[in-house]
DNA sequence: TTATCATATGATCATATATTCATATGATAG
DNA sequence: CTATCATATGAATATATGATCATATGATAA
């Protein structure tokens, strides 16, 4: 029958819910997945990402800001160019797992 | 349908992108996370989920349909009552991992 | 300084999403 | 059959989100 309504499992606090949902939101958009997937290869400049994925530069920049705010990517400046790369092993592993799971 | 070839550094095909992004979308909403987290305890009736989480019945029902369409939950009827439970070990593991990661 | 390159930002718009209310459906008991 | 309970569904709405255009910022070289 159904669950006996025992309350030994407490509810998630609001902050945890926010962090977890935000993290998955980052992975819930095809464009961001494509960007993160491209970064599997290594670091990329903003324009190169745009060119490679056929996206507008401003679109890529907006998405990178989103990912940067969640600390999923980091950047490094070299002259006028800014190179982005992964910055969260855990989340990147989850994405990799899920892609492989979907591919097979 | 789509080409799922993934040799080295080719782009992800559209179908894979859709599957992966949809799956993460399911985990990208606090309400759905709370429901899935509650189901860690076992199977629950729709009304019990609503009561436990202080959500409207229709809201719970809509979210369960969403999760059911993605085959993240399954259901079992017993009389008038319908019990929902998890139905995707992989995704549930990912959610559990991420919650634990956020909690620590 | 000015010109140019690379990136970031803000405003806007169209679409997507989460929630609610009201109602429909389906199962069961009397 | 009717009444009631449990769940599902559809419409409406408010908010969130993704993409675009135009422009701003910042770095570099002449």
């Amino acid at each position: 029958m159904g669950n006996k309504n025992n309350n030994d499992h407490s509810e998630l606090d609001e902050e945890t819910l926010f962090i977890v949902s935000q993290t998955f939101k980052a992975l819930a958009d095809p464009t961001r997945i494509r960007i993160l997937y491209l970064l599997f290869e290594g670091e990329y400049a903003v324009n190169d990402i745009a060119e490679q994925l056929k996206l507008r530069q401003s679109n890529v920049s907006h998405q990178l800001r989103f990912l940067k705010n969640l600390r999923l990517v980091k950047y490094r400046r070299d002259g006028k160019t800014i190179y982005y790369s992964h910055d969260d092993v855990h989340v990147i592993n989850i994405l990799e797992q899920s892609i492989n799971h979907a591919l097979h």
Side-chain angles (χ1 to χ4, degrees), chain A residues 37-56:
Chain A
Y37 186 71
L38 182 64
L39 294 183
F40 279 7
E41 296 181 40
E43 55 179 13
Y44 268 84
V46 179
N47 268 334
D48 292 341
I49 297 173
E51 196 178 316
Q52 218 29 70
L53 304 182
K54 296 194 174 72
L55 298 168
R56 310 276 176 172

Side-chain angles (χ1 to χ4, degrees), chain A residues 44-94:
Chain A
Y44 268 84
V46 179
N47 268 334
D48 292 341
I49 297 173
E51 196 178 316
Q52 218 29 70
L53 304 182
K54 296 194 174 72
L55 298 168
R56 310 276 176 172
Q57 178 269 325
S58 65
N59 191 6
V60 174
S61 186
H62 280 304
Q63 301 296 358
L64 286 172
R65 178 168 58 173
F66 185 104
L67 296 170
K68 182 163 60 78
N69 287 340
L70 286 169
R71 305 194 191 287
L72 301 191
V73 298
K74 62 179 188 287
Y75 64 92
R76 168 179 79 82
R77 179 182 277 280
D78 181 19
K80 285 179 279 196
T81 307
I82 297 185
Y83 293 97
Y84 280 84
S85 56
H86 288 306
D87 197 30
D88 189 314
V89 180
H90 178 249
V91 173
I92 295 313
N93 274 339
I94 286 176

Side-chain angles (χ1 to χ4, degrees), chain A residues 6 18 28 34 52 70 96 100:
Chain A
N6 51 344
F18 182 76
R34 293 174 72 210
Q52 218 29 70
L70 286 169
E96 199 167 25
N100 288 331

